[in-house]
Amino acid sequence: MVNDTLPSPTKVLNAFHKQRQQINQAQLTKPSALLTKMSSPPPAKKARKSKSTPAAAATGGKPIDDLTALTTAQLYALSSRRHRDQSREAARLAQEERDRAHIALEQSQKLLERAQGHFDKMVENARDASREYQDAKELLAKVRQSTTNPGSAVPLAVDYDDDDDILKILSSQKKKKGGGKGSSSGGTPGKKSQKFPYIEDLLISLAKSGQLHTGVKLHAASCNLVNKKDNYHFVNTMKLVEELWTEEEELFLRSSTKEIEESLEETKIIAETISLRCMTKLNEFEGREDSTPTNHQKPSFVAVGARARKVFHARETAAANLV
């Protein structure tokens, strides 16, 4: 197929040599005419009819320059659009980032306000607990002092700056309860003459055993100071304690065994406070005019449990009558 369209090499060479001979012969025969022909300018080619627009003809007939300018303008326009789109995308991303930051700031402010509210509530609860603790200390000191001196009147206000003073009063009271036998035998004064353990003794024992730290309910715990036959008194007493102890006292008594051992004095103070509160509330529940515990009222778990059972039974009866 190639041989049909292209001339053969032999024909090309023959034509070349023939043209070369003609040129040499022309140079030899007509040198002046050849020089004249070579020196004369080439004839002007006929101008091709352009298909330019009338606007291009009016501007001087330069369609190529106009096309170049138009192309350049279009490139600049495309570049401007691209930069504009990029700027709009960057602005949109910045707007979204600002909106997210604004939402996060609002959430942080809400969390901060909530935390501040919880903090204020905790501070208020701590103040209430501190006031209640001071009132209980003063009331405990009054009761112990009146028990120590039955014939003397109870002072209207007793101020104790240290818990050790209350512990001294309590220890002196127990020594007087124990008498000579308790002190001469070398045991704990007052404990041997005590037939049934007091509420504070049970609470201290349960706190030391670590049962409360595991989350066990008071009335469901087991104490080695309680006989099986008196267990129902223990249950009623502990139910009363669960009604009357404060959240701070419960959290303290539910501390670990190590923490209880390290703060044994505070544990005793809290247990004594709860015991005194139980005696006072029982007098209120029973309708006594003076809720202050008397000298013959002992905070043993048997006596308190029997009285608490009557109070619980009265509540159940009243609730049944309302229904």
Side-chain angles (χ1 to χ4, degrees):
M1 185 175 182
V2 176
N3 294 331
D4 296 338
T5 58
L6 297 177
S8 62
T10 304
K11 292 181 179 181
V12 173
L13 290 175
N14 293 334
F16 177 75
H17 288 301
K18 187 177 181 179
Q19 187 178 6
R20 185 68 178 172
Q21 289 176 2
Q22 291 177 359
I23 293 173
N24 291 334
Q25 187 177 359
Q27 289 178 356
L28 292 175
T29 57
K30 296 179 180 180
S32 59
L34 181 61
L35 291 174
T36 304
K37 186 178 181 180
M38 292 178 63
S39 61
S40 62
K45 294 182 179 180
K46 292 182 179 181
R48 183 183 297 178
K49 293 182 180 181
S50 62
K51 297 181 180 180
S52 59
T53 60
T59 55
K62 297 180 179 179
I64 297 177
D65 296 339
D66 295 341
L67 181 60
T68 304
L70 179 62
T71 306
T72 305
Q74 289 177 351
L75 291 176
Y76 278 121
L78 291 174
S79 178
S80 300
R81 291 194 191 99
R82 186 172 64 252
H83 287 301
R84 183 194 63 186
D85 296 339
Q86 291 178 355
S87 300
R88 288 180 178 178
E89 184 67 18
R92 185 183 63 82
L93 294 176
Q95 181 71 21
E96 293 178 355
E97 188 68 23
R98 190 191 69 175
D99 294 341
R100 286 195 294 269
H102 184 68
I103 294 173
L105 179 61
E106 290 180 352
Q107 293 177 353
S108 300
Q109 289 178 350
K110 291 180 181 179
L111 292 176
L112 181 61
E113 292 175 358
R114 189 181 304 172
Q116 184 66 30
H118 287 306
F119 177 75
D120 296 339
K121 187 176 180 180
M122 291 175 63
V123 171
E124 187 65 24
N125 292 337
R127 290 175 180 173
D128 295 340
S130 178
R131 287 193 295 267
E132 185 177 356
Y133 179 66
Q134 294 296 331
D135 295 340
K137 284 172 60 177
E138 294 179 1
L139 182 59
L140 180 63
K142 292 178 183 179
V143 172
R144 294 307 180 188
Q145 187 172 358
S146 63
T147 308
T148 305
N149 301 319
S152 61
V154 179
L156 295 179
V158 181
D159 186 12
Y160 292 96
D161 296 332
D162 194 357
D163 294 339
D164 294 337
D165 297 335
I166 297 181
L167 291 177
K168 289 178 182 179
I169 294 175
L170 297 179
S171 60
S172 63
Q173 174 65 20
K174 291 180 180 180
K175 287 181 181 179
K176 291 189 176 183
K177 287 182 180 179
K181 293 182 180 180
S183 58
S184 60
S185 59
T188 303
K191 290 293 181 183
K192 296 206 172 183
S193 62
Q194 184 176 311
K195 186 176 181 180
F196 298 105
Y198 287 172
I199 297 176
E200 57 265 29
D201 300 330
L202 299 181
L203 292 177
I204 294 172
S205 177
L206 292 174
K208 285 183 177 180
S209 66
Q211 297 183 62
L212 301 182
H213 184 61
T214 60
V216 178
K217 296 290 185 180
L218 278 177
H219 65 273
S222 60
C223 183
N224 55 1
L225 301 179
V226 179
N227 297 325
K228 291 184 178 180
K229 64 178 182 178
D230 300 325
N231 188 60
Y232 66 97
H233 291 304
F234 171 79
V235 171
N236 291 325
T237 301
M238 292 299 105
K239 286 182 178 180
L240 180 65
V241 172
E242 288 175 346
E243 286 187 8
L244 299 180
W245 66 358
T246 62
E247 183 179 356
E248 291 77 11
E249 293 169 347
E250 179 182 0
L251 291 175
F252 186 89
L253 293 177
R254 290 189 182 277
S255 303
S256 61
T257 306
K258 182 179 179 181
E259 294 174 346
I260 293 296
E261 292 293 341
E262 291 177 353
S263 56
L264 190 57
E265 294 183 358
E266 289 82 357
T267 305
K268 292 179 180 179
I269 290 293
I270 290 177
E272 291 279 354
T273 304
I274 295 173
S275 177
L276 179 61
R277 190 182 301 125
C278 289
M279 299 294 294
T280 304
K281 287 296 181 180
L282 279 177
N283 290 337
E284 292 181 4
F285 294 154
E286 293 171 353
R288 297 175 182 266
E289 295 181 358
D290 187 6
S291 61
T292 304
T294 60
N295 296 334
H296 67 276
Q297 290 179 340
K298 306 300 180 184
S300 65
F301 79 95
V302 174
V304 173
R307 296 173 62 189
R309 184 180 63 83
K310 295 179 181 179
V311 172
F312 297 153
H313 180 69
R315 289 180 184 176
E316 293 175 358
T317 304
N321 292 335
L322 290 176
V323 175

